[in-house]
Amino acid sequence: MTFQTQQKSRHSEIDKKRWLVRYLLIAAVAAVLTFKIYLLLYVIDFTLGVYSFFSSFVLLNIIIFSYIGYRDPYEKVKNNPLPKNPPLFSIVVPVKNEEEAIRNCVESCLKQSYENKEIIVVNDGSTDKTGQILEDIRKEWGTEKLRIFHLSRSVGKKQAVEVASKIARGEVYTFMDSDCDMAHDAVEKAAKIFLANGQLGALTSHGRVRGAHSGNLLQKMQDVYVDSACRAVKGAETSFSSVTCCSGSLSFYRRAAVQHFIHEWAHDKFLGMEFKFCTDRRMTAYVLGTKPPKEGQTLDINQNDYEEPENSDFDNSGKNKKMSDEGDPNALPILQTGNDDLQTLRITSDPDLDKKQDLPSHSYWNVLYTQNIRVNIGVPTKLSDLLKQQTRWKKSFIRSLISTGGMYWRRPFWIALLYYIQTVMKFVRPYVLFHAVFMLPLVGDFRSTGLWFLGIMFTGMIYAVDFRLRNPGDPLWLYRPIFTILTTFVYTWLLPYAALTIKNKAWR
């Protein structure tokens, strides 16, 4: 898949004719919502009726806010010139066993149109050819902007990110998964958005599945789903500056908004044990729940940035304190830096980071999504791998309920209401599905089950038409209703399964 330049404001995203279809979609969902009230009162089973009503209520709000309320933050600043000394962006890529994708990923970072960047790749104990490929890239490009660190054993994605944050010098972190690659102008666009909005704490991008059009059924279904999840759901949340999850595929965080949380995040514990899954939602929740300093206050964003945490591999001179080959099973992995030297990186840190910076005061940090920054995503191609991935994500969702749910009420009322409604619906969905598919047919109520199923397919078709409007000529829209069936009858059971196996920390 190649990235295409498109006009992306509210009125230029699609032409007037297709905007009319969007308004018709809103009218259709509103009409169905009204009809469901009648069904609830006089026709359908009460449990299914209540659940179906709230499904359409949420859908109606999502498309209204994503269509009418969403303003892409890049559209306001796309013509702004970059300053002579733009901020440094630190692109951080943790990687483990990605020999097929890592070259594409790293080279997309190196080819960025934005010049003031550094790229930090942490090889998290890969056992395949990933390490050698990274060294080949280093030799081929011969640039000081690329820093590669090899951990002798895996410590997990979160702690690999923490390693990078200890040496990163940028004012903005760019976190990208190692099976992804971003558009050549992604960082430049992000820089313009951050420069224009001092209140912006985090920014997430628009994903599409790499090679979906030539891929198998699962890739096609995931592509159309990812597209709508970004543009519809995150678009609606952006209307309130309150995106609930900045995707790991490609997101940007202002250093001042997350630096002092990274260590806690990397060593997160849940139910008394280390929680190894990389919780993007928890990182986002921290930004959503914190505020920039009040006007007149200053934030020393360099405080503790280069202090090593307890049990670090390095002392203050940059030398290893504890080697894993000394026979100590508790020793941390050796960090092989190759041509990079940690102490040199510290000494040559951007001097601007040592200055105290004034930040604006306006409630909580903004967390936004832009459809103008594009990233290609690698996805599972086998159903078994997809289900394992979704189970991990469900575990992360459960873990993040306390952090996101515990603070999201501070965000604007209406988007918070929608968040809590959707959260409750996810937990009652297994019962609703069992009730509709097994219990009602046993008592002969096939009508309620049939109407419930039609409602599910209606939702899938709304998202399919939305995809078709924004991607004219793209045949993948037909796969959205199929994916709706998969999420309803398969994904639904993954949440209770994830809850029951929450202590299983295995990734694969």
Side-chain angles (χ1 to χ4, degrees), residues 26 30 33 45 51 127 219 227 268 285 288 304 423 484:
I26 293 175
L33 179 63
D45 173 79
Y51 185 85
T127 56
Q219 290 171 291
D227 178 85
D268 185 24
L288 287 167
N304 296 327
T423 299
T484 300

Side-chain angles (χ1 to χ4, degrees), residues 62 66 227-237 369 463 466 470:
I62 287 176
S66 65
D227 178 85
S228 62
C230 288
R231 179 58 185 88
V233 178
K234 296 185 191 301
E237 292 173 339
Y369 148 81
Y463 283 120
D466 171 68
R470 291 181 290 102

Side-chain angles (χ1 to χ4, degrees), residues 154-193:
S154 175
V155 296
K157 178 180 175 180
K158 290 191 295 184
Q159 291 188 39
V161 169
E162 184 188 21
V163 168
S165 74
K166 290 297 173 183
I167 58 172
R169 301 171 294 137
E171 296 174 45
V172 178
Y173 289 129
T174 302
F175 294 146
M176 184 168 71
D177 286 341
S178 55
D179 59 353
C180 301
D181 60 275
M182 56 177 143
H184 77 283
D185 56 358
V187 177
E188 180 179 343
K189 289 179 175 179
K192 289 185 177 182
I193 297 172

Side-chain angles (χ1 to χ4, degrees), residues 251-313:
S251 290
F252 306 82
Y253 293 87
R254 192 181 296 274
R255 183 192 192 96
V258 298
Q259 181 65 26
H260 302 309
F261 176 66
I262 290 179
H263 179 70
E264 177 184 341
W265 172 77
H267 300 271
D268 185 24
K269 290 187 177 181
F270 184 59
L271 298 179
M273 66 178 187
E274 182 182 1
F275 195 79
K276 296 191 68 172
F277 304 118
C278 193
T279 49
D280 300 318
R281 287 181 179 273
R282 182 156 162 72
M283 176 71 81
T284 308
Y286 177 78
V287 182
L288 287 167
T290 54
K291 299 180 181 181
K294 295 180 180 179
E295 189 171 356
Q297 284 186 322
T298 57
L299 177 67
D300 185 357
I301 65 173
N302 197 46
Q303 181 182 0
N304 296 327
D305 283 356
Y306 301 111
E307 293 181 8
E308 303 299 338
E310 186 178 357
N311 296 328
S312 170
D313 286 332

Side-chain angles (χ1 to χ4, degrees), residues 173-421:
Y173 289 129
T174 302
F175 294 146
M176 184 168 71
D177 286 341
S178 55
D179 59 353
C180 301
D181 60 275
M182 56 177 143
H184 77 283
D185 56 358
V187 177
E188 180 179 343
K189 289 179 175 179
K192 289 185 177 182
I193 297 172
F194 274 93
L195 282 167
N197 185 352
Q199 189 70 22
L200 180 60
L203 176 71
T204 194
S205 60
H206 186 90
R208 293 294 299 271
V209 171
R210 182 174 54 250
H213 289 83
S214 59
N216 61 22
L217 175 64
L218 284 179
Q219 290 171 291
K220 289 178 169 62
M221 290 193 299
Q222 289 176 86
D223 181 51
V224 69
Y225 172 76
V226 168
D227 178 85
S228 62
C230 288
R231 179 58 185 88
V233 178
K234 296 185 191 301
E237 292 173 339
T238 295
S239 300
F240 299 90
S241 301
S242 301
V243 172
T244 54
C245 182
C246 290
S247 303
S249 54
L250 178 62
S251 290
F252 306 82
Y253 293 87
R254 192 181 296 274
R255 183 192 192 96
V258 298
Q259 181 65 26
H260 302 309
F261 176 66
I262 290 179
H263 179 70
E264 177 184 341
W265 172 77
H267 300 271
D268 185 24
K269 290 187 177 181
F270 184 59
L271 298 179
M273 66 178 187
E274 182 182 1
F275 195 79
K276 296 191 68 172
F277 304 118
C278 193
T279 49
D280 300 318
R281 287 181 179 273
R282 182 156 162 72
M283 176 71 81
T284 308
Y286 177 78
V287 182
L288 287 167
T290 54
K291 299 180 181 181
K294 295 180 180 179
E295 189 171 356
Q297 284 186 322
T298 57
L299 177 67
D300 185 357
I301 65 173
N302 197 46
Q303 181 182 0
N304 296 327
D305 283 356
Y306 301 111
E307 293 181 8
E308 303 299 338
E310 186 178 357
N311 296 328
S312 170
D313 286 332
F314 299 96
D315 59 22
N316 292 330
S317 66
K319 297 180 180 179
N320 285 88
K321 294 186 300 184
K322 199 174 189 182
M323 300 297 198
S324 60
D325 55 358
E326 291 178 347
D328 184 351
N330 297 317
L332 294 175
I334 300 172
L335 190 58
Q336 304 164 343
T337 61
N339 295 329
D340 299 325
D341 179 78
L342 279 176
Q343 185 66 9
T344 301
L345 295 182
R346 292 191 187 97
I347 294 172
T348 59
S349 296
D350 190 339
D352 289 340
L353 291 179
D354 295 327
K355 300 176 182 178
K356 292 185 176 181
Q357 300 185 0
D358 290 319
L359 292 175
S361 173
H362 178 67
S363 188
Y364 296 90
W365 290 107
N366 292 335
V367 182
L368 305 177
Y369 148 81
T370 173
Q371 61 184 338
N372 274 280
I373 296 178
R374 298 296 181 110
V375 60
N376 279 327
I377 303 172
V379 297
T381 58
K382 298 179 181 179
L383 181 59
S384 58
D385 292 336
L386 177 61
L387 296 181
K388 291 176 183 178
Q389 178 204 65
Q390 292 298 316
T391 300
R392 295 195 301 268
W393 288 3
K394 295 294 188 293
K395 290 181 180 181
S396 295
F397 169 75
I398 294 171
R399 171 63 187 94
S400 300
L401 281 176
I402 297 174
S403 52
T404 305
M407 52 65 51
Y408 206 69
W409 59 270
R410 302 171 185 170
R411 309 303 291 194
F413 169 78
W414 202 252
I415 196 65
L417 175 65
L418 293 176
Y419 167 80
Y420 290 116
I421 290 175

Side-chain angles (χ1 to χ4, degrees), residues 443-471:
V443 297
D445 189 358
F446 295 97
R447 180 173 59 181
S448 292
T449 299
L451 290 171
W452 165 80
F453 182 74
L454 287 175
I456 291 173
M457 297 309 297
F458 173 78
T459 299
M461 283 304 301
I462 291 294
Y463 283 120
V465 174
D466 171 68
F467 177 91
R468 183 71 172 80
L469 290 173
R470 291 181 290 102
N471 302 276

Side-chain angles (χ1 to χ4, degrees), residues 93-113:
V93 181
V95 56
K96 180 181 180 182
N97 294 341
E98 287 286 358
E99 60 184 10
E100 294 182 1
I102 191 58
R103 175 175 289 275
N104 194 38
C105 172
V106 175
E107 290 188 345
S108 77
C109 300
L110 290 164
K111 294 176 181 178
Q112 286 299 298
S113 59

